[in-house]
């Protein structure tokens, strides 16, 4: 492979992966940035001749693997077996749903209509129907629910556009592939489907590789739990109305029961208060008012169920509505019977909707059953699996006590390439206008940075405060998460070379910007989970009942791993230079701050902002961002 540079740590990881495949074992690998871990697992995986599933934590890494890394290796290794990429159904354009939207276009908002023309054109020219390829579409564009399907509203083989379906074609390619690239959400969705015994989304494999494996415990908890959202009930009521007009116009009670269901959902939402957020479902159900409104919702669901039952056999859409209502009714009853031990029951609310959720407190036993299946090999890798150089937390979360472990440091020279600053005199982390104060304090420092800056926030409140100040004070482009798709923002950020991107958790990981285009990362505070989070509360209480300390065993490890991910955005290449500014005084004021610092790369440290100017003076050669064509590739050794 032209330009390839051998690395000892990359070879060590590749040899460990090869041994794991030969022995049908399990391997944990933390590989520091620059190790080249992608090739370190892909080469032995391809060479093994086994059927392989690679699962990533982000769609961005999926695309990178499939479109960049794998083609290079397939050529270099003369690999000729079929490979495929598969995402969840929400990523694929649905022809049938688009047809419905076009037929009802006059009833849509101006924002939906503005996107409709480009979506229609995309449907004609696209080969894969992957909406990630549609540039210019906002991350949460209102049109998305109208042009994608869900498990609930998909008509399956009864769909008139079934043979043209982008998702069906993608799944067919996946079942025929020798190597399949998926993401963690899809992997667990497949496990859940297979548990029913009726279907599967992907084939069985002999080797499973999980990149960005630190995300697995949280995603597994979501999929091994259960959820029902009011949005699902409201959309089902809309479908009932459409089916009533098309297949049973003589049954006026069908339309009335749908209206009653939507009204009951709206009334129930009001019982949670005006502000969105999460809460303990057990506590909410203790309120008599909540019990009364929940009773009304259950009555509305029961009525809709009885009416739909009378329509069975009159049309495919009505039959499909009945099946969904039956499923939702059972789920609603299970989720509001909150006495089961070993799970957290919680609600989540947005401006218009709410959801009931049940999440297991531990997935270790269930996940370990998968890993212990005979004849398969499992590799878990990430730049952030350890806390204070130990794998204990990750092992405990997924039940991987017997797995082999390998810890590989980054080959980068952090002492020469970077600087860590924890500024003095910053406000307490609980101060309401803290984002404003940080931005006002740091914008002069930002102006001195020769390249681009990530300002990573732990809340949307902080994000908006920071963005407002920076857009007022800075003489450079300020990009804000949510104003364009993630891919669109990154493209503009890299092309600009000196932009400031203000973002939250979406940009803490899975983002690779090399060279001076990203020269500084600012993090507003340590990423501890909210103490009011009902899932964290339930896990903490369970931890206490077992005589353990929830802060040191749950909250601290999770925050350390999250911080390591954010810090990992900075130095992506052997020639990068960068400054990390951590704006949380607890790093130096609290004993646990040392756990964070010892888990980070060995950067020179300072409390003085003046040191940042000195750093840039000493590294003037890095002042001009290199072109994208000349950027190094940190993951392959190029």
């Amino acid at each position: 492979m032209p330009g390839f540079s051998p690395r000892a740590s990359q070879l060590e990881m590749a040899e460990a992966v090869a041994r794991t495949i030969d022995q049908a074992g399990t391997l944990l690998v933390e590989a520091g940035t620059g190790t080249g871990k992608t090739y370190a697992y892909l080469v032995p995986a391809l060479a093994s001749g086994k059927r392989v599933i690679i699962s990533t934590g982000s769609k961005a890494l999926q695309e990178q693997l499939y479109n960049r890394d794998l083609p290079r290796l397939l050529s270099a290794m003369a690999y000729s077996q079929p490979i495929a990429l598969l995402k969840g159904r929400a990523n694929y354009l649905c022809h049938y749903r688009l047809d419905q939207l076009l037929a009802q276009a006059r009833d849509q908002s101006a924002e939906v209509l503005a996107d409709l023309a480009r979506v229609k054109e995309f449907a004609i020219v696209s080969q894969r129907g992957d909406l990630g390829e549609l540039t210019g579409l906002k991350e949460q564009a209102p049109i998305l629910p109208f042009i994608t399907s869900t498990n609930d509203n998909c008509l399956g083989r009864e769909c008139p556009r079934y043979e043209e379906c982008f998702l069906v074609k993608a799944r067919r390619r996946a079942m025929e592939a020798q190597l399949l690239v998926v993401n963690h959400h899809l992997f667990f969705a497949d496990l859940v489907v297979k548990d029913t015994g009726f279907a599967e989304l992907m084939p069985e494999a002999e080797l499973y590789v999980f990149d960005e494996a630190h995300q697995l415990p949280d995603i597994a908890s979501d999929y091994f739990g259960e959820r029902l959202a009011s949005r699902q009930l409201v959309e089902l009521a809309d479908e009932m109305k459409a089916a009533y007009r098309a297949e049973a116009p003589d049954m006026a009670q069908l339309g009335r029961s749908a209206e009653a269901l939507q009204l009951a959902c709206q009334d129930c939402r009001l019982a949670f208060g005006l502000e969105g957020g999460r809460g303990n479902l057990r506590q909410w159900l203790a309120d008599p008012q909540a019990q009364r409104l929940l009773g009304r919702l259950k009555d509305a669901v029961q009525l809709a169920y009885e009416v739909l039952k009378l329509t069975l056999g009159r049309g495919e859409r009505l039959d499909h509505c009945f099946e969904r209502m039956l499923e939702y009714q059972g789920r609603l009853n299970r989720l509001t019977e909150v006495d089961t031990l070993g799970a957290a029951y919680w609600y989540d609310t947005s401006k218009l909707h709410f959801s009931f959720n049940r999440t297991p407190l531990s997935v270790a036993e269930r996940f370990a059953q998968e890993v212990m299946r005979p004849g398969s090999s499992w590799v878990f890798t990430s730049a952030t699996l350890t806390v204070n150089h130990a794998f204990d937390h990750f092992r405990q979360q997924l039940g991987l006590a017997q797995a082999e472990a390998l810890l590989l440091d980054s080959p980068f020279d952090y002492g020469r390439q970077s600087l860590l600053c924890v500024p003095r005199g910053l406000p307490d982390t609980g101060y309401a206008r803290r984002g404003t104060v940080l931005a006002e304090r740091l914008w002069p420092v930002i102006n001195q940075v020769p390249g681009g800056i990530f300002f990573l926030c732990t809340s949307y409140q902080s994000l908006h405060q920071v963005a407002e100040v920076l857009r007022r004070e800075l003489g450079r482009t300020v990009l804000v998460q949510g104003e364009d798709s993630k891919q669109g923002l990154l493209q503009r950020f890299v092309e600009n070379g000196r932009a400031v991107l203000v973002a939250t958790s979406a940009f803490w990981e899975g983002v690779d910007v090399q060279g001076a285009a990203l020269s500084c990362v600012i993090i507003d505070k340590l990423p501890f989970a909210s103490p009011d989070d009902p899932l964290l509360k339930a896990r903490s209480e369970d931890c206490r009942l077992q005589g353990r300390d929830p802060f040191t065993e749950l909250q601290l490890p999770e925050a350390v791993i999250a911080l390591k991910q954010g810090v990992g955005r900075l130095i992506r290449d052997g020639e990068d230079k960068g400054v990390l500014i951590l704006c949380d005084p607890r790093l130096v004021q609290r004993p646990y701050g040392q756990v964070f610092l010892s888990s980070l790369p060995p950067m020179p440290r300072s409390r003085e902002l003046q040191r940042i100017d000195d750093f840039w003076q000493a590294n003037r050669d890095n002042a001009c961002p290199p072109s994208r064509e000349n950027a190094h590739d940190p993951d392959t050794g190029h």
Side-chain angles (χ1 to χ4, degrees):
M1 181 176 286
F4 182 81
S5 302
R7 306 177 188 183
S9 56
Q10 188 180 53
L11 181 58
E12 186 178 355
M13 177 175 171
E15 290 172 338
V17 172
R19 286 195 303 272
T20 300
I21 297 172
D22 290 342
Q23 299 166 6
T26 303
L27 175 68
L28 314 180
V29 185
E30 177 172 294
T33 307
T35 302
K37 60 185 171 64
T38 304
Y39 277 23
Y41 64 70
L42 281 178
V43 169
L46 292 169
S48 70
K50 298 181 181 294
R51 175 169 262 183
V52 181
I53 288 180
I54 310 288
S55 181
T56 74
S58 65
K59 289 180 285 188
L61 183 54
Q62 261 190 291
E63 292 286 358
Q64 176 186 307
L65 279 171
Y66 188 76
N67 295 321
R68 190 188 77 180
D69 299 328
L70 275 169
R72 292 173 178 172
L73 283 180
L74 299 184
S75 174
M77 299 177 67
Y79 187 87
S80 59
Q81 297 298 313
I83 68 169
L85 173 76
L86 184 62
K87 297 181 181 179
R89 68 163 61 244
N91 295 280
Y92 295 97
L93 178 70
C94 173
H95 287 298
Y96 177 70
R97 299 277 292 169
L98 178 59
D99 290 344
Q100 287 187 312
L101 179 60
L102 289 168
Q104 302 165 5
R106 69 178 66 180
D107 301 325
Q108 302 305 322
S109 68
E111 197 170 1
V112 169
L113 292 176
D115 289 327
L116 186 54
R118 70 162 66 100
V119 171
K120 185 179 177 182
E121 181 181 353
F122 175 78
I124 297 171
V125 301
S126 177
Q127 296 296 309
R128 296 196 298 170
D130 185 343
L131 290 167
E133 299 169 355
L134 180 52
T135 56
L137 198 64
K138 287 186 178 178
E139 203 172 6
Q140 302 294 332
I143 197 174
L144 289 174
F146 296 104
I147 59 172
T148 57
S149 67
T150 65
N151 283 326
D152 298 324
N153 62 32
C154 177
L155 298 178
R157 292 186 178 275
E158 284 77 39
C159 179
R161 306 290 296 270
Y162 181 78
E163 290 303 321
E164 306 163 69
C165 178
F166 289 121
L167 177 63
V168 169
K169 291 178 180 178
R171 288 182 175 173
R172 285 173 180 165
R173 290 191 294 268
M175 297 304 290
E176 296 167 358
Q178 182 74 0
L179 185 144
L180 176 63
V181 182
V182 301
N183 58 57
H184 301 340
H185 288 277
L186 192 60
F187 173 82
F188 285 108
D190 179 61
L191 283 190
V192 172
V193 168
K194 283 175 178 171
D195 280 347
T196 68
F198 294 110
E200 61 181 2
L201 306 179
M202 63 184 76
E204 296 286 347
E206 298 163 282
L207 169 62
Y208 296 87
V209 179
F210 296 90
D211 203 339
E212 301 177 314
H214 62 279
Q215 298 181 10
L216 287 173
D218 285 342
I219 296 174
S221 294
D222 288 341
Y223 279 90
F224 291 147
E226 199 167 19
R227 179 177 187 270
L228 179 66
S230 62
R231 183 186 297 275
Q232 294 171 283
L233 294 170
V234 170
E235 289 177 352
L236 177 53
D238 283 334
E239 183 64 23
M240 287 172 60
K241 293 176 186 177
Y244 155 54
R245 292 190 292 269
E247 297 177 344
D250 58 316
M251 290 192 64
Q253 67 265 45
L254 193 58
R256 288 196 292 266
S257 65
E259 291 282 359
L261 178 56
Q262 290 180 326
L263 183 60
C265 286
Q266 293 170 12
D267 290 344
C268 203
R269 168 62 189 89
L270 293 175
F272 291 99
L274 297 178
E275 297 296 324
R278 291 178 168 189
N280 187 303
L281 189 56
R282 289 188 176 103
Q283 293 176 359
W284 183 77
L285 288 172
D287 182 357
Q289 171 77 348
Q291 283 280 7
R292 186 177 66 82
L293 290 171
L294 176 62
R296 283 186 55 191
L297 178 61
K298 288 185 173 182
D299 289 344
V301 169
Q302 179 66 26
L303 174 63
Y305 165 80
E306 296 292 349
V307 173
L308 283 168
K309 191 174 181 180
L310 297 174
T311 70
L312 285 174
R314 296 192 60 171
E316 290 178 355
R317 294 175 76 173
L318 285 168
D319 288 353
H320 192 58
C321 286
F322 175 77
E323 291 171 5
R324 287 169 63 187
M325 188 61 72
L326 181 62
E327 165 61 22
Y328 289 168
Q329 186 178 45
R331 208 182 303 174
L332 179 62
N333 289 333
R334 290 192 298 273
L335 288 169
T336 53
E337 294 170 357
V338 295
D339 296 329
T340 306
L341 299 178
Y345 289 84
W346 52 283
Y347 64 81
D348 193 11
T349 59
S350 62
K351 184 177 180 181
L352 298 176
H353 293 285
F354 64 90
S355 67
F356 295 140
N357 306 269
R358 178 183 61 81
T359 303
L361 298 180
S362 172
V363 298
E365 184 177 350
R366 173 67 183 84
F367 190 76
Q369 291 174 1
E370 292 297 317
V371 176
M372 288 187 292
R373 280 188 291 139
S376 57
S377 308
W378 301 74
V379 176
F380 302 85
T381 186
S382 169
T384 56
L385 288 185
T386 66
V387 177
N388 221 356
H389 312 292
F391 288 90
D392 299 358
H393 180 64
F394 186 75
R395 288 182 187 276
Q396 184 265 331
Q397 286 180 301
L398 292 181
L400 301 175
Q402 304 305 314
E404 296 292 322
L406 178 63
L407 178 58
L408 299 170
D409 292 331
S410 170
F412 298 154
D413 184 356
Y414 283 93
R416 176 182 62 87
Q417 295 178 244
S418 65
L419 173 69
L420 165 60
C421 183
V422 184
R424 300 182 190 276
L426 295 180
D428 184 79
T429 54
Y431 179 56
R433 300 292 299 169
R434 192 170 188 272
T436 300
V437 174
L438 291 182
E440 289 174 343
R441 175 84 181 275
L442 293 175
W443 74 258
V445 178
I446 290 172
N447 259 344
Q448 300 302 313
V449 177
I453 299 101
F454 272 7
F455 204 127
L456 300 178
C457 302
T458 52
S459 71
Y460 282 99
Q461 180 187 38
S462 183
L463 176 145
H464 293 307
Q465 292 173 0
V466 168
E468 180 182 1
V469 173
L470 295 187
R471 281 185 163 162
R472 183 178 70 237
E473 301 292 348
L474 286 183
R476 59 169 84 190
T477 300
V478 177
L479 305 171
V480 180
Q481 180 184 329
E483 295 181 351
D484 195 354
S485 68
K486 183 175 181 179
Q487 184 179 1
L489 285 172
L490 274 176
Q491 182 176 344
R492 290 163 60 191
F493 180 83
V494 172
E495 289 174 352
N496 182 284
R498 295 187 71 250
V500 181
L501 174 61
V502 187
T504 60
S505 56
F507 286 83
W508 280 64
E509 57 183 280
V511 175
D512 186 7
V513 180
Q514 300 154 39
L518 179 54
S519 297
C520 178
V521 171
I522 304 171
I523 295 178
D524 70 340
K525 64 179 178 180
L526 298 176
F528 283 109
S530 169
D532 295 327
D533 182 271
L535 186 54
L536 176 61
K537 280 186 172 181
R539 285 178 171 154
S540 297
E541 181 61 27
D542 184 63
C543 191
R544 272 190 291 269
L545 289 173
Q546 297 179 47
R548 309 196 324 263
D549 177 15
F551 179 78
T552 56
E553 295 198 26
L554 297 177
Q555 293 167 268
L556 183 59
E558 293 296 313
V560 169
I561 289 171
L563 181 66
K564 288 172 69 175
Q565 280 292 325
V567 171
R569 299 316 98 215
L570 183 60
I571 303 297
R572 309 295 299 179
D573 181 83
E575 298 305 316
D576 280 0
K577 305 289 195 304
V579 171
L580 171 67
I581 305 176
L582 295 180
C583 304
D584 195 324
R586 292 176 294 183
L587 277 165
V588 292
Q589 294 174 355
R590 302 290 179 86
Y592 59 74
Q594 189 56 44
V595 178
F596 285 96
L597 292 172
S598 64
S599 298
L600 297 181
M603 299 176 170
R605 302 173 193 168
S606 175
R607 302 293 313 277
E608 307 300 333
L609 289 172
Q610 177 57 43
R611 279 287 304 278
I612 297 175
D613 289 338
D614 298 341
F615 178 84
W616 292 125
Q617 289 296 325
N619 290 281
R620 286 176 182 170
D621 291 343
N622 201 47
C624 297
S627 68
R628 298 185 75 187
E629 290 77 18
N630 294 328
H632 293 273
D633 182 345
D635 214 29
T636 63
H638 277 45

